[in-house]
Amino acid sequence: MCTLAHVFEAASLSTVTITSIRAVGERMRPPRVLHCEFPLGRPLGKTNDPEFQHDVLRRAFSLLERESGPVLEDHPNEIVADEEPLSCTVPPRFDPDLAPAVDEARGLRKAYDRALGRRGVSEVGNAVDADGVPHALDVLQNIVNGTPWKEAGIPGGHTTALANDIRAYYEEAALELTDAPNPGGHQTEDWFFERTEAGKLVLAVRKALAAQGAPQPVWFFMAPMYRS
Amino acid sequence: MAEQPSGDALIRAQVGQQPVPEFSETAWTVPPPLAEAKVAVVTSAALYPRDGESFTVTDTSYRALDHAERQLVMGHWSPNFDRSAFGIDYNVVYPLARLDELVEQGVIGSVASKHYAFAGNQPDDVATIRYDSGPACAAELKADGVDVVFLTPV
């Protein structure tokens, strides 16, 4: 964003940039920056809170009144991501012959479909569609069980895209099942990686891929860098 | 025992130490009064229309988004942020409803007919963004009569 701000401003457009990482704004010096210490992925701070979002916009646009720059100001509110996993039960085991994550994903399908019907769009689909999620989890389970990763038939051929699809399938379904549908930052991520069989499997397959000698880009970006 | 840093704190520390392109000068364009300005959003959230072209993992191109189109996919590849927030309320990343309200209130003059999404990818020298897709996007913004660009990351 900071590079684009420089480019746009040089093209006679006035810019205001929200930054999430203050050090980047400090060093890149775009014309006008409002640094917002909010959960990453939420540059306007709070979902479903128009009043707060308007406050961010008002503070950002006020920087347009400055006569010279660069200028970097901080939004006065810091919002720390809520790290309490989303309150959302996962489906009970239904078919004991299936890997737990596969059984779980099948159980979430109706909730995922409700989410898709409500929003009309889904983040699932870069490597697999919703129909392909259970099979994808089966493939990941096979890798954890020892199948060489190059022989496993990873759907879509890209582990990062696949992991993102699986996570999106779960997180979108979870928002239909929870009694707290406006969670704080990281609550859905924490639920996925800490409460679901699929999330635990993604972390396990990341370790298995590394142990099998797969190049770091194959496994590292399957989950946030701070998860192990 | 010391409290474990949050995931966001760890990401901020890591990314904050990485090299960034440095610019010897900062251009400065004086905007018209905000109540007369046309405002557009440009985001690095890799948004694209439901039936549109997705972003590849190293994509430095951009997508034009009609102002009326709200069924957007967030196609960013990074796992290192809250990926659910955009689906809960797109305004937390892409605040078009808020901008429409500011027009109704007379705070801003108008909202652009098109907005733009990049994917946050850039090689170390940011050459593509600086000399190719960035200027091309700027030209589209200017052709739409935009005065002010509001830039949001994820």
PDB file of all heavy atoms in Angstrom, chain A residues 4-22:
ATOM      1  N   LEU A   4       2.150   1.999  -3.484  1.00  0.00           N
ATOM      2  CA  LEU A   4       1.078   2.551  -4.316  1.00  0.00           C
ATOM      3  C   LEU A   4       0.772   3.998  -3.939  1.00  0.00           C
ATOM      4  O   LEU A   4       0.477   4.823  -4.810  1.00  0.00           O
ATOM      5  CB  LEU A   4      -0.187   1.700  -4.187  1.00  0.00           C
ATOM      6  CG  LEU A   4      -0.188   0.390  -4.980  1.00  0.00           C
ATOM      7  CD1 LEU A   4      -1.388  -0.472  -4.575  1.00  0.00           C
ATOM      8  CD2 LEU A   4      -0.215   0.663  -6.480  1.00  0.00           C
ATOM      9  N   ALA A   5       0.837   4.322  -2.672  1.00  0.00           N
ATOM     10  CA  ALA A   5       0.584   5.707  -2.259  1.00  0.00           C
ATOM     11  C   ALA A   5       1.596   6.647  -2.910  1.00  0.00           C
ATOM     12  O   ALA A   5       1.238   7.718  -3.403  1.00  0.00           O
ATOM     13  CB  ALA A   5       0.636   5.815  -0.739  1.00  0.00           C
ATOM     14  N   HIS A   6       2.861   6.242  -2.917  1.00  0.00           N
ATOM     15  CA  HIS A   6       3.881   7.061  -3.595  1.00  0.00           C
ATOM     16  C   HIS A   6       3.552   7.207  -5.083  1.00  0.00           C
ATOM     17  O   HIS A   6       3.635   8.309  -5.644  1.00  0.00           O
ATOM     18  CB  HIS A   6       5.264   6.407  -3.443  1.00  0.00           C
ATOM     19  CG  HIS A   6       5.930   6.665  -2.133  1.00  0.00           C
ATOM     20  ND1 HIS A   6       6.544   7.854  -1.825  1.00  0.00           N
ATOM     21  CD2 HIS A   6       6.093   5.875  -1.048  1.00  0.00           C
ATOM     22  CE1 HIS A   6       7.060   7.794  -0.612  1.00  0.00           C
ATOM     23  NE2 HIS A   6       6.802   6.591  -0.113  1.00  0.00           N
ATOM     24  N   VAL A   7       3.201   6.100  -5.714  1.00  0.00           N
ATOM     25  CA  VAL A   7       2.934   6.123  -7.160  1.00  0.00           C
ATOM     26  C   VAL A   7       1.712   6.999  -7.460  1.00  0.00           C
ATOM     27  O   VAL A   7       1.735   7.836  -8.378  1.00  0.00           O
ATOM     28  CB  VAL A   7       2.713   4.687  -7.681  1.00  0.00           C
ATOM     29  CG1 VAL A   7       2.208   4.704  -9.122  1.00  0.00           C
ATOM     30  CG2 VAL A   7       4.007   3.883  -7.581  1.00  0.00           C
ATOM     31  N   PHE A   8       0.655   6.830  -6.709  1.00  0.00           N
ATOM     32  CA  PHE A   8      -0.575   7.590  -6.966  1.00  0.00           C
ATOM     33  C   PHE A   8      -0.354   9.091  -6.717  1.00  0.00           C
ATOM     34  O   PHE A   8      -0.822   9.927  -7.476  1.00  0.00           O
ATOM     35  CB  PHE A   8      -1.713   7.089  -6.072  1.00  0.00           C
ATOM     36  CG  PHE A   8      -2.210   5.706  -6.398  1.00  0.00           C
ATOM     37  CD1 PHE A   8      -2.983   4.996  -5.492  1.00  0.00           C
ATOM     38  CD2 PHE A   8      -1.920   5.097  -7.620  1.00  0.00           C
ATOM     39  CE1 PHE A   8      -3.460   3.730  -5.779  1.00  0.00           C
ATOM     40  CE2 PHE A   8      -2.390   3.824  -7.918  1.00  0.00           C
ATOM     41  CZ  PHE A   8      -3.159   3.138  -6.997  1.00  0.00           C
ATOM     42  N   GLU A   9       0.335   9.382  -5.639  1.00  0.00           N
ATOM     43  CA  GLU A   9       0.542  10.802  -5.313  1.00  0.00           C
ATOM     44  C   GLU A   9       1.379  11.484  -6.402  1.00  0.00           C
ATOM     45  O   GLU A   9       1.098  12.625  -6.788  1.00  0.00           O
ATOM     46  CB  GLU A   9       1.221  10.921  -3.951  1.00  0.00           C
ATOM     47  CG  GLU A   9       1.092  12.273  -3.308  1.00  0.00           C
ATOM     48  CD  GLU A   9      -0.143  12.432  -2.414  1.00  0.00           C
ATOM     49  OE1 GLU A   9      -0.803  11.430  -2.079  1.00  0.00           O
ATOM     50  OE2 GLU A   9      -0.436  13.591  -2.049  1.00  0.00           O
ATOM     51  N   ALA A  10       2.367  10.761  -6.908  1.00  0.00           N
ATOM     52  CA  ALA A  10       3.185  11.324  -7.992  1.00  0.00           C
ATOM     53  C   ALA A  10       2.364  11.519  -9.265  1.00  0.00           C
ATOM     54  O   ALA A  10       2.739  12.310 -10.133  1.00  0.00           O
ATOM     55  CB  ALA A  10       4.375  10.407  -8.261  1.00  0.00           C
ATOM     56  N   ALA A  11       1.249  10.787  -9.364  1.00  0.00           N
ATOM     57  CA  ALA A  11       0.359  10.925 -10.519  1.00  0.00           C
ATOM     58  C   ALA A  11      -0.754  11.947 -10.248  1.00  0.00           C
ATOM     59  O   ALA A  11      -1.778  11.940 -10.934  1.00  0.00           O
ATOM     60  CB  ALA A  11      -0.254   9.571 -10.870  1.00  0.00           C
ATOM     61  N   SER A  12      -0.552  12.802  -9.255  1.00  0.00           N
ATOM     62  CA  SER A  12      -1.483  13.890  -8.931  1.00  0.00           C
ATOM     63  C   SER A  12      -2.792  13.412  -8.313  1.00  0.00           C
ATOM     64  O   SER A  12      -3.836  14.045  -8.470  1.00  0.00           O
ATOM     65  CB  SER A  12      -1.773  14.751 -10.171  1.00  0.00           C
ATOM     66  OG  SER A  12      -0.577  15.305 -10.680  1.00  0.00           O
ATOM     67  N   LEU A  13      -2.733  12.290  -7.621  1.00  0.00           N
ATOM     68  CA  LEU A  13      -3.855  11.842  -6.796  1.00  0.00           C
ATOM     69  C   LEU A  13      -3.455  12.042  -5.329  1.00  0.00           C
ATOM     70  O   LEU A  13      -2.306  11.790  -4.964  1.00  0.00           O
ATOM     71  CB  LEU A  13      -4.154  10.359  -7.041  1.00  0.00           C
ATOM     72  CG  LEU A  13      -4.666   9.987  -8.435  1.00  0.00           C
ATOM     73  CD1 LEU A  13      -4.397   8.512  -8.717  1.00  0.00           C
ATOM     74  CD2 LEU A  13      -6.161  10.288  -8.549  1.00  0.00           C
ATOM     75  N   SER A  14      -4.379  12.476  -4.505  1.00  0.00           N
ATOM     76  CA  SER A  14      -4.095  12.606  -3.075  1.00  0.00           C
ATOM     77  C   SER A  14      -4.430  11.282  -2.394  1.00  0.00           C
ATOM     78  O   SER A  14      -5.469  10.684  -2.686  1.00  0.00           O
ATOM     79  CB  SER A  14      -4.924  13.739  -2.459  1.00  0.00           C
ATOM     80  OG  SER A  14      -4.613  14.968  -3.076  1.00  0.00           O
ATOM     81  N   THR A  15      -3.575  10.854  -1.499  1.00  0.00           N
ATOM     82  CA  THR A  15      -3.758   9.537  -0.887  1.00  0.00           C
ATOM     83  C   THR A  15      -3.782   9.628   0.632  1.00  0.00           C
ATOM     84  O   THR A  15      -3.136  10.489   1.231  1.00  0.00           O
ATOM     85  CB  THR A  15      -2.619   8.575  -1.279  1.00  0.00           C
ATOM     86  OG1 THR A  15      -1.379   9.092  -0.790  1.00  0.00           O
ATOM     87  CG2 THR A  15      -2.542   8.396  -2.790  1.00  0.00           C
ATOM     88  N   VAL A  16      -4.517   8.695   1.218  1.00  0.00           N
ATOM     89  CA  VAL A  16      -4.452   8.443   2.658  1.00  0.00           C
ATOM     90  C   VAL A  16      -4.316   6.937   2.812  1.00  0.00           C
ATOM     91  O   VAL A  16      -5.119   6.179   2.262  1.00  0.00           O
ATOM     92  CB  VAL A  16      -5.708   8.916   3.402  1.00  0.00           C
ATOM     93  CG1 VAL A  16      -5.524   8.717   4.895  1.00  0.00           C
ATOM     94  CG2 VAL A  16      -6.013  10.366   3.089  1.00  0.00           C
ATOM     95  N   THR A  17      -3.305   6.514   3.558  1.00  0.00           N
ATOM     96  CA  THR A  17      -3.016   5.089   3.689  1.00  0.00           C
ATOM     97  C   THR A  17      -3.229   4.644   5.127  1.00  0.00           C
ATOM     98  O   THR A  17      -2.736   5.281   6.060  1.00  0.00           O
ATOM     99  CB  THR A  17      -1.546   4.800   3.306  1.00  0.00           C
ATOM    100  OG1 THR A  17      -1.300   5.321   2.002  1.00  0.00           O
ATOM    101  CG2 THR A  17      -1.251   3.312   3.333  1.00  0.00           C
ATOM    102  N   ILE A  18      -3.948   3.545   5.298  1.00  0.00           N
ATOM    103  CA  ILE A  18      -4.013   2.883   6.598  1.00  0.00           C
ATOM    104  C   ILE A  18      -2.856   1.890   6.668  1.00  0.00           C
ATOM    105  O   ILE A  18      -2.653   1.108   5.726  1.00  0.00           O
ATOM    106  CB  ILE A  18      -5.335   2.109   6.770  1.00  0.00           C
ATOM    107  CG1 ILE A  18      -6.542   3.053   6.678  1.00  0.00           C
ATOM    108  CG2 ILE A  18      -5.345   1.329   8.083  1.00  0.00           C
ATOM    109  CD1 ILE A  18      -6.697   3.997   7.835  1.00  0.00           C
ATOM    110  N   THR A  19      -2.091   1.926   7.741  1.00  0.00           N
ATOM    111  CA  THR A  19      -1.067   0.902   7.930  1.00  0.00           C
ATOM    112  C   THR A  19      -1.405   0.057   9.155  1.00  0.00           C
ATOM    113  O   THR A  19      -1.979   0.550  10.127  1.00  0.00           O
ATOM    114  CB  THR A  19       0.344   1.491   8.133  1.00  0.00           C
ATOM    115  OG1 THR A  19       0.330   2.356   9.274  1.00  0.00           O
ATOM    116  CG2 THR A  19       0.817   2.245   6.910  1.00  0.00           C
ATOM    117  N   SER A  20      -1.030  -1.208   9.048  1.00  0.00           N
ATOM    118  CA  SER A  20      -1.202  -2.130  10.161  1.00  0.00           C
ATOM    119  C   SER A  20       0.120  -2.396  10.859  1.00  0.00           C
ATOM    120  O   SER A  20       0.143  -2.900  11.987  1.00  0.00           O
ATOM    121  CB  SER A  20      -1.768  -3.465   9.663  1.00  0.00           C
ATOM    122  OG  SER A  20      -3.021  -3.285   9.057  1.00  0.00           O
ATOM    123  N   ILE A  21       1.216  -2.111  10.170  1.00  0.00           N
ATOM    124  CA  ILE A  21       2.548  -2.354  10.722  1.00  0.00           C
ATOM    125  C   ILE A  21       3.287  -1.020  10.683  1.00  0.00           C
ATOM    126  O   ILE A  21       3.710  -0.547   9.620  1.00  0.00           O
ATOM    127  CB  ILE A  21       3.272  -3.452   9.928  1.00  0.00           C
ATOM    128  CG1 ILE A  21       2.460  -4.749  10.020  1.00  0.00           C
ATOM    129  CG2 ILE A  21       4.700  -3.648  10.450  1.00  0.00           C
ATOM    130  CD1 ILE A  21       2.969  -5.880   9.186  1.00  0.00           C
ATOM    131  N   ARG A  22       3.427  -0.397  11.850  1.00  0.00           N
ATOM    132  CA  ARG A  22       3.882   0.986  11.912  1.00  0.00           C
ATOM    133  C   ARG A  22       5.278   1.151  11.312  1.00  0.00           C
ATOM    134  O   ARG A  22       5.563   2.148  10.623  1.00  0.00           O
ATOM    135  CB  ARG A  22       3.882   1.454  13.367  1.00  0.00           C
ATOM    136  CG  ARG A  22       3.944   2.973  13.503  1.00  0.00           C
ATOM    137  CD  ARG A  22       3.871   3.390  14.976  1.00  0.00           C
ATOM    138  NE  ARG A  22       3.495   4.786  15.117  1.00  0.00           N
ATOM    139  CZ  ARG A  22       4.300   5.806  14.916  1.00  0.00           C
ATOM    140  NH1 ARG A  22       5.545   5.591  14.542  1.00  0.00           N
ATOM    141  NH2 ARG A  22       3.872   7.059  15.059  1.00  0.00           N
TER     142      ARG A  22
END
